[in-house]
Amino acid sequence: MLRPKIPTMPSPTGLITPPTVVDPTTVVQHHPTPAAAPTASTRPTIQLTPGTALALVGAGAAVVLVVGAVLVSMLLAVAVTGASVAVCAVVIRSLISSQHRR
C-alpha cells in the first residue's frame, strides 16, 4: 500500500577536506591488584519488633489516606470548575440568542 520514500544522500558542496589520519598509540596494560577480602560490616542491623512493624503499617496507611484525599480533592476541583464553565457557557449562549430575537 504505502511505501516510504527513502531520502537520497545529496552530494556535498563546497570545500571538501580529506579525512584526518590518526596515528595509533601504544596500549599499556595494567595488571589489576587482587581485591581485599570483604570485611564484616560495622553497621548495626535493624531489628524489626512487632511495635515497629505496627508503626510502619500505620504510617503507610496514613500516607495512602493523605495521598488519596489529595487526589480526590483535585478531581473534585476539576469537576466543579468544569460545571461552572458549562453554566457560564449556557448563560452566555442564552444572552446572545436573546439579543438576536430583538
Side-chain angles (χ1 to χ4, degrees), residues 6-12:
I6 300 173
T8 58
M9 187 67 167
S11 60

Side-chain angles (χ1 to χ4, degrees), residues 13-58:
T13 59
L15 296 174
I16 301 174
T17 58
T20 58
V21 178
V22 178
D23 293 331
T25 58
T26 58
V27 177
V28 178
Q29 293 182 353
H30 295 284
H31 297 289
T33 58
T39 58
S41 177
T42 59
R43 293 188 296 170
T45 58
I46 298 174
Q47 298 293 326
L48 192 61
T49 62
T52 56
L54 188 62
L56 286 174
V57 169

